[in-house]
Amino acid sequence: QEPLDLCPGCPRVTEIPDFYFYANNGLLELKATDNNELFLLPNYNLLIKSPKSSASKVISLIGVAINGQNYFFSLDGAGNFYQSDFSVPGSPGRYNLIISVLYSDKTLAKKSWPVEVLPWGKIIDNLSGQNIKPAEITVLKDGQLFNGWGAVNPLTASDFYGAMLPLGRYTLQVKASGYQNYVSSEIIIDNYVL
């Protein structure tokens, strides 16, 4: 699928600037040279930035496409970064995120990342199998309330929950009316998604 064609017939080049993905004011460390799969949550808003200084040539236009939606980059107020917001598809599944860079010399570079949109989580009663709602989920790191990445903590789950977190080890504390408080065993976040 090639939903975004910035320059039909332009010669392709391999030089592509660095790209960084941001969620909740935190940095998801993935550069254009990586082949890492991005794990995201449905309908999450992300920011992609590219330092102007990382481009090997003058850039005319940058676009990003995912699930048939196209977004275009603009320079930030200081003129140091190209950036674009985009919305993660609303349905769990596998997608391709494609970034196209059109240089002023009319050459074109493209980079594609596989994206796995994971479903939101639920709090389930072990005996009945029913979804417990509402529930309050508190994310703890080293036994302390975790307030990194601007995430709301505790999360109040009226139906589903999830968060984008830095890589690391966490525990969850769950409270719900009519149930004993629960503290999870250690959870290792290795893909930024809780």
Side-chain angles (χ1 to χ4, degrees):
Q1 179 186 11
E2 291 283 335
L4 184 64
D5 194 355
L6 298 180
C7 187
C10 284
R12 293 282 181 97
V13 294
T14 57
E15 301 97 6
I16 193 155
D18 297 331
F19 287 95
Y20 300 90
F21 295 82
Y22 293 81
N24 298 351
N25 300 317
L27 179 62
L28 296 176
E29 297 182 25
L30 183 67
K31 296 175 82 174
T33 56
D34 295 338
N35 292 316
N36 297 355
E37 183 171 25
L38 284 170
F39 293 92
L40 304 170
L41 290 168
N43 297 315
Y44 224 81
N45 290 319
L46 293 184
L47 172 67
I48 305 175
K49 291 178 108 176
S50 178
K52 187 176 179 183
S53 62
S54 75
S56 61
K57 303 192 262 183
V58 176
I59 293 174
S60 293
L61 184 62
I62 303 174
V64 61
I66 187 167
N67 197 33
Q69 297 294 313
N70 298 323
Y71 305 89
F72 294 94
F73 285 62
S74 59
L75 276 172
D76 68 353
N80 296 323
F81 290 91
Y82 295 100
Q83 61 187 27
S84 178
D85 291 309
F86 78 95
S87 294
V88 175
S91 299
R94 295 185 63 77
Y95 300 89
N96 273 324
L97 181 133
I98 301 168
I99 294 179
S100 299
V101 179
L102 178 62
Y103 294 103
S104 62
D105 64 1
K106 298 294 183 206
T107 57
L108 184 67
K110 288 192 178 197
K111 172 68 180 163
S112 177
W113 280 273
V115 172
E116 177 84 22
V117 178
L118 301 173
W120 292 95
K122 295 181 182 184
I123 304 298
I124 302 293
D125 182 312
N126 279 338
L127 297 176
S128 70
Q130 297 296 313
N131 189 8
I132 299 171
K133 51 187 179 178
E136 182 181 275
I137 301 104
T138 303
V139 179
L140 304 171
K141 185 164 181 65
D142 301 322
Q144 303 295 315
L145 180 70
F146 178 73
N147 284 318
W149 270 19
V152 175
N153 194 10
L155 305 163
T156 300
S158 57
D159 202 6
F160 302 101
Y161 77 94
M164 302 284 293
L165 298 171
L167 304 179
R169 298 170 185 271
Y170 300 88
T171 54
L172 300 180
Q173 180 179 345
V174 181
K175 297 178 183 177
S177 179
Y179 292 89
Q180 287 184 323
N181 292 348
Y182 170 79
V183 177
S184 74
S185 56
E186 186 176 77
I187 298 169
I188 298 172
I189 302 294
D190 60 2
N191 63 7
Y192 302 104
V193 176
L194 170 67

